[in-house]
Amino acid sequence: MIEYLFHNSFILQLHWSGNKVSQTVLKPVSGNEKQAAGTSKEPSFLLKALARGYLDREPSLWLNAPLDWSSLSSFQAGILKTLLWSVPWGRTITYSRLAALAGHPRAARAAGTAMANNPWPLLIPCHRVIGANQRCGGFTGGMELKKILLNLEQE
């Protein structure tokens, strides 16, 4: 099953496999995809929480989201879980600080690779990870979308 969250700036797809989210797909809205903001009909609890945060401006926690971690290495899972649990809405962290918090103080580049391969953008907020120079760094959805997400969380 696939659920959708339509925001004025992005579209999020939640891909469910059984009772777990196997991946999310996050992309900017292009001109021909602009539609009214909203969610899928009969949304899951997880999509409702995301909608509260990004549509209604009421951040909620989805720390216990049913994610399928089986395809990730223990390092990747550790980095992503550290990000999820340690960097709240509206905050950012550097790649090196994230790696250190996850117990790998010399693995900033590897933490960046884990962000680039994050199967759940927005659920695991890789857009909150920035470079040591306070620049945005990379983002799978593109730099403009990363800036939009960071700005949405600052409002």
Side-chain angles (χ1 to χ4, degrees), residues 6 11 27-36:
F6 294 98
I11 298 171
K27 62 182 184 173
V29 173
S30 65
N32 62 352
E33 294 174 319
K34 291 236 181 231
Q35 9 186 329

Side-chain angles (χ1 to χ4, degrees), residues 3 10-15 23-27 119-121:
E3 292 185 289
F10 63 85
I11 298 171
L12 176 72
Q13 299 174 5
L14 291 180
H15 292 247
Q23 71 172 352
T24 62
V25 176
L26 179 65
K27 62 182 184 173
W120 308 287

